Amino acid sequence: MDFKDLTTEQLEEAANMLKAIAHPMRIAILGYLEDGKKLTVTEIHELLKIEQSTTSHHLGILKDKGVLCSKREGKNTYYFLKHANLSNIVNCVSKCTMG
Amino acid sequence: MDFKDLTTEQLEEAANMLKAIAHPMRIAILGYLEDGKKLTVTEIHELLKIEQSTTSHHLGILKDKGVLCSKREGKNTYYFLKHANLSNIVNCVSKCTMG
DNA sequence: TAATATTTTGGTTAATTAGACAAATGCAAA
DNA sequence: TTTGCATTTGTCTAATTAACCAAAATATTA
């Protein structure tokens, strides 16, 4: 692939996705959503020990920018990765912080 | 790898790297630096048709957050990827904006 | 030394973002 | 319908970021 072929719109969409991911809490959230896992807002807020409404905000940002999808089932809303390979991004950048 | 094992510091470093990349111009810059390519500030500013000092600013951000390295040779400063696999990030997020 | 080319830094203003809280909405069971 | 749980939305202030321009710093050449 040749990135020089990306349009301005595609560059901005890509930037928006990365901007959505580029936050410690949101990276941690993605860490829990590998391999097609689906979690509710409450589960994530308990796992990460952050305010429930703050959790919802972060999930909303990730969904809005095309990183996550959500599906309501009864009282709960389950969140999960829109593209499986988005885990690679977190994977890759994490590797860089370790080596 | 288990992201739940990442420390707060590592999460923040990862977030800072992604934040540095998460900008249309900076994604475009990384697009030109695949495969170990090295380019000068002037070359990049001409390729992207943005102000020279703006280019330097963007490169400085990428270097400061550990995405790029630089090496001065004579009058010129060459910039290049610090980790080869950082191309994967741009690659991955670009794919998501195309399919 | 002086002049030129390349790059970095600093100052400014406008725009965006984070985090907290409160209020409102959606759903299910009694 | 009323109650309670889960989630979303709105509002606010503080902090961060972008882009431009001008000035300074670094290195080469005359």
Side-chain angles (χ1 to χ4, degrees):
Chain A
M1 174 170 37
D2 197 334
F3 299 116
K4 304 174 225 20
D5 296 339
L6 288 178
T7 66
T8 303
E9 289 72 28
Q10 286 173 324
L11 282 174
E12 280 182 1
E13 188 184 343
N16 283 331
M17 288 184 80
L18 285 180
K19 212 183 294 182
I21 300 173
H23 185 287
M25 288 294 170
R26 300 202 284 266
I27 291 176
I29 288 173
L30 295 188
Y32 283 107
L33 294 176
E34 287 186 292
D35 307 320
K37 285 204 197 68
K38 303 180 199 299
L39 294 175
T40 68
V41 179
T42 300
E43 286 171 326
I44 293 171
H45 124 243
E46 285 169 351
L47 280 168
L48 295 182
K49 301 180 181 39
I50 54 179
E51 279 237 354
Q52 183 276 326
S53 89
T54 301
T55 308
S56 176
H57 250 125
H58 286 309
L59 291 170
I61 290 167
L62 288 167
K63 184 183 175 185
D64 183 54
K65 304 306 184 194
V67 179
L68 297 184
C69 289
S70 66
K71 192 169 70 168
R72 182 134 202 171
E73 288 186 11
K75 283 197 286 193
N76 298 315
T77 303
Y78 286 87
Y79 281 86
F80 51 96
L81 286 179
K82 187 164 180 181
H83 304 279
N85 64 339
L86 283 168
S87 281
N88 295 338
I89 293 178
V90 179
N91 230 305
C92 179
V93 82
S94 297
K95 246 181 257 163
C96 292
T97 70
M98 294 171 152
Chain B
M1 173 171 39
D2 198 336
F3 299 115
K4 305 172 221 27
D5 296 338
L6 288 178
T7 65
T8 303
E9 289 72 26
Q10 286 172 324
L11 282 175
E12 280 183 1
E13 188 185 344
N16 282 332
M17 289 184 80
L18 285 180
K19 212 183 294 182
I21 300 173
H23 184 288
M25 287 296 169
R26 300 201 284 266
I27 291 176
I29 289 173
L30 296 188
Y32 284 106
L33 294 176
E34 289 187 290
D35 307 320
K37 285 205 196 67
K38 303 182 199 297
L39 294 175
T40 69
V41 179
T42 300
E43 286 170 326
I44 293 171
H45 124 244
E46 285 169 352
L47 281 168
L48 295 181
K49 303 178 181 40
I50 53 179
E51 279 235 354
Q52 182 278 327
S53 87
T54 301
T55 308
S56 177
H57 255 121
H58 285 308
L59 290 170
I61 290 167
L62 288 168
K63 184 183 176 186
D64 182 55
K65 303 306 184 194
V67 179
L68 298 183
C69 289
S70 68
K71 191 169 70 170
R72 182 135 200 172
E73 288 185 12
K75 285 197 282 193
N76 298 313
T77 304
Y78 286 87
Y79 281 86
F80 51 96
L81 287 179
K82 186 164 183 181
H83 304 279
N85 65 340
L86 282 169
S87 282
N88 296 339
I89 293 177
V90 179
N91 229 306
C92 179
V93 81
S94 298
K95 247 181 257 163
C96 292
T97 70
M98 295 170 150

